[in-house]
C-alpha cells in the first residue's frame, strides 16, 4: 500500500468539499452547524468508498445512473436556495436544516463512491483508506466553512449571493466535463 497515494487521493476527493464549503460557509452558520456539516461530509467520505467497493459497479450497471446529473441537481437546488435567501430582507438568520446538510454531504462525496469501485486496486486495506478519506474531507470542509463564514462577516449578503451562484455554476461545469 502506498500511503502517499492514499493521501493524494484523499486530498483530491476533498477539494470539491473545500470549494463548496467555502461557498456554503457564506451562509451565516453557527459553530455547531459547521461542526455537524463537517462531520456529515467526513462520514460520507468514510462510507461512500466502502459502498462503492461493495455495490458500486453492480448499481451503476443495473440502474444506469448518471452521477453528473445527480450532482447538478443537488448543487443547483442548494445554490438556488442560497441565491433566494440572499435577497430576503429578514434580519433573523436562517439556520441550515439537516436535510440540506445531508444533501450537501452526498453531493461532495459521490466521487468517493466512484473511487470505492476501484479501491481494491489501490490498497487491500479499504478501511484505512476510508478513514483517511474521512479525516481529510472533514478537515477540508471545516476549513472551507470557517473561511466562508469569515467572508460573510466581511462582505455580508453579497457573499451568500456569490456562494449560491458559484454552486449552480459548479454544478453546470461538473455535468459538462
Amino acid at each position: 500500500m502506498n500511503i502517499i497515494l492514499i493521501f493524494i487521493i484523499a486530498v483530491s476527493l476533498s477539494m470539491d468539499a473545500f470549494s463548496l464549503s467555502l461557498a456554503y460557509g457564506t451562509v451565516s452558520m453557527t459553530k455547531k452547524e459547521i461542526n455537524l456539516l463537517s462531520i456529515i461530509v467526513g462520514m460520507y467520505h468514510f462510507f461512500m468508498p466502502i459502498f462503492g467497493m461493495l455495490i458500486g459497479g453492480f448499481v451503476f450497471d443495473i440502474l444506469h445512473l448518471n452521477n453528473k446529473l445527480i450532482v447538478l441537481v443537488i448543487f443547483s437546488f442548494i445554490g438556488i436556495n442560497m441565491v433566494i435567501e440572499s435577497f430576503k430582507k429578514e434580519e433573523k438568520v436562517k439556520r441550515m436544516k439537516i436535510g440540506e446538510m445531508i444533501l450537501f454531504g452526498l453531493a461532495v462525496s459521490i466521487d468517493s463512491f466512484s473511487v470505492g469501485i476501484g479501491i481494491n486496486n489501490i490498497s487491500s486495506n479499504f478501511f484505512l483508506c476510508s478513514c483517511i478519506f474521512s479525516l481529510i474531507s472533514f478537515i477540508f470542509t471545516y476549513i472551507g466553512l470557517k473561511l466562508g463564514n469569515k467572508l460573510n462577516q466581511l462582505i455580508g449578503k453579497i457573499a451568500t449571493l456569490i456562494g449560491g451562484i458559484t454552486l449552480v455554476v459548479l454544478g453546470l461545469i461538473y455535468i459538462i466535463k
Side-chain angles (χ1 to χ4, degrees), residues 14 26 37-38 43 63 85 87 96-97 107 127 161 168 171:
S14 300
T26 61
L37 185 54
S38 299
M43 288 176 63
L63 298 179
E85 288 298 318
F87 287 108
M96 184 184 296
K97 295 177 182 141
F127 182 76
L161 176 64
V168 173

Side-chain angles (χ1 to χ4, degrees), residues 37-95:
L37 185 54
S38 299
I39 289 168
I40 287 171
V41 170
M43 288 176 63
Y44 266 115
H45 276 85
F46 177 81
F47 288 110
M48 291 299 269
I50 294 171
F51 291 151
M53 184 192 71
L54 297 174
I55 60 172
F58 177 74
V59 169
F60 280 115
D61 286 344
I62 300 264
L63 298 179
H64 303 290
L65 295 174
N66 183 343
N67 62 344
K68 290 184 177 186
L69 183 60
I70 294 168
V71 171
L72 169 67
V73 169
I74 293 171
F75 285 179
S76 296
F77 174 77
I78 294 171
I80 290 169
N81 188 38
M82 287 174 64
V83 169
I84 291 168
E85 288 298 318
S86 74
F87 287 108
K88 290 187 176 176
K89 298 282 184 196
E90 61 188 70
E91 292 298 315
K92 184 180 174 190
V93 176
K94 178 188 171 266
R95 295 288 154 226

Side-chain angles (χ1 to χ4, degrees), residues 100-171:
E100 292 172 311
M101 291 182 185
I102 290 170
L103 281 176
F104 181 91
L106 176 64
V108 299
S109 67
I110 286 180
D111 290 348
S112 293
F113 185 82
S114 302
V115 168
I117 294 170
I119 197 99
N120 289 333
N121 297 324
I122 299 167
S123 171
S124 59
N125 191 343
F126 63 87
F127 182 76
L128 176 63
C129 292
S130 288
C131 287
I132 292 170
F133 296 165
S134 177
L135 178 65
I136 299 297
S137 66
F138 169 85
I139 291 168
F140 275 54
T141 302
Y142 185 84
I143 291 170
L145 290 169
K146 285 296 222 179
L147 289 175
N149 217 357
K150 289 290 182 201
L151 276 176
N152 185 44
Q153 292 171 6
L154 291 174
I155 56 178
K157 281 194 170 263
I158 191 74
T160 304
L161 176 64
I162 293 169
I165 291 170
T166 301
L167 284 175
V168 173
V169 169
L170 286 173

